[in-house]
């Protein structure tokens, strides 16, 4: 459910960033205005086909709908991380996953102090 809210929020944010009405956004993406309205009001989760249509229409990646504030720096960092992960072995990925868990726990612990 959390990802649905983030994606739907990302869709609304994308539309607003392009200064589009729901009607114009729906036209560009190939949806009905009602479908766009329902997504933006979290009544429905978008299908993979809908996400694909949105991403193709605006030349973005699905992950871009999940990130609150896309900046050049965020995109650069994500691309570097993705490259490094793609070139890692399964054993390395398991270690990286464990390290991320430790870092996140420590960060949350420090933040809550």
């Amino acid at each position: 459910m959390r990802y649905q809210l983030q994606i739907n929020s990302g869709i609304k944010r994308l539309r607003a960033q392009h200064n589009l009405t729901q009607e114009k956004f729906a036209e560009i993406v190939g949806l009905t205005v009602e479908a766009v309205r329902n997504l933006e009001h979290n009544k429905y989760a978008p299908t993979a086909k809908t996400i694909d249509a949105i991403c193709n229409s605006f030349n973005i990646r699905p992950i871009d709908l999940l990130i609150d504030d896309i900046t050049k720096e965020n995109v650069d960092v994500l691309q570097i991380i993705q490259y490094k992960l793609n070139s890692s072995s399964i054993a390395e990925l398991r270690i990286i996953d464990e390290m991320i868990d430790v870092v996140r726990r420590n960060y949350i612990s420090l933040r809550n102090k």
Side-chain angles (χ1 to χ4, degrees):
M1 184 72 160
R2 187 180 103 204
Y3 290 114
Q4 176 187 335
L5 296 175
Q6 282 181 278
I7 289 174
N8 290 355
S9 177
I11 291 169
K12 186 174 185 176
R13 185 179 57 254
L14 178 68
R15 181 179 65 77
Q17 286 171 344
H18 289 273
N19 296 315
L20 297 171
T21 63
Q22 288 180 336
E23 291 79 9
K24 188 63 179 172
F25 186 86
E27 180 183 321
I28 290 170
V29 177
L31 297 173
T32 65
V33 176
E34 183 178 355
V36 172
R37 190 172 297 121
N38 286 336
L39 289 171
E40 290 187 3
H41 289 103
N42 297 309
K43 291 185 179 179
Y44 300 105
T47 63
K49 183 178 176 181
T50 297
I51 292 171
D52 192 45
I54 292 168
C55 291
N56 288 334
S57 297
F58 290 92
N59 196 28
I60 62 170
R61 301 164 302 157
I63 188 76
D64 297 332
L65 294 172
L66 291 171
I67 299 173
D68 287 340
D69 186 20
I70 301 291
T71 64
K72 175 82 170 101
E73 184 179 342
N74 289 352
V75 171
D76 290 345
V77 170
L78 287 172
Q79 287 175 341
I80 291 167
I81 292 170
Q82 184 177 14
Y83 172 78
K84 289 178 179 181
L85 291 175
N86 287 340
S87 59
S88 298
S89 69
I90 293 294
E92 291 169 327
L93 289 172
R94 286 191 178 110
I95 293 169
I96 292 167
D97 182 49
E98 290 173 14
M99 292 170 66
I100 290 170
D101 288 342
V102 169
V103 169
R104 290 187 75 216
R105 278 194 303 270
N106 288 332
Y107 173 77
I108 290 168
S109 175
L110 289 172
R111 191 178 66 189
N112 291 332
K113 285 186 179 183

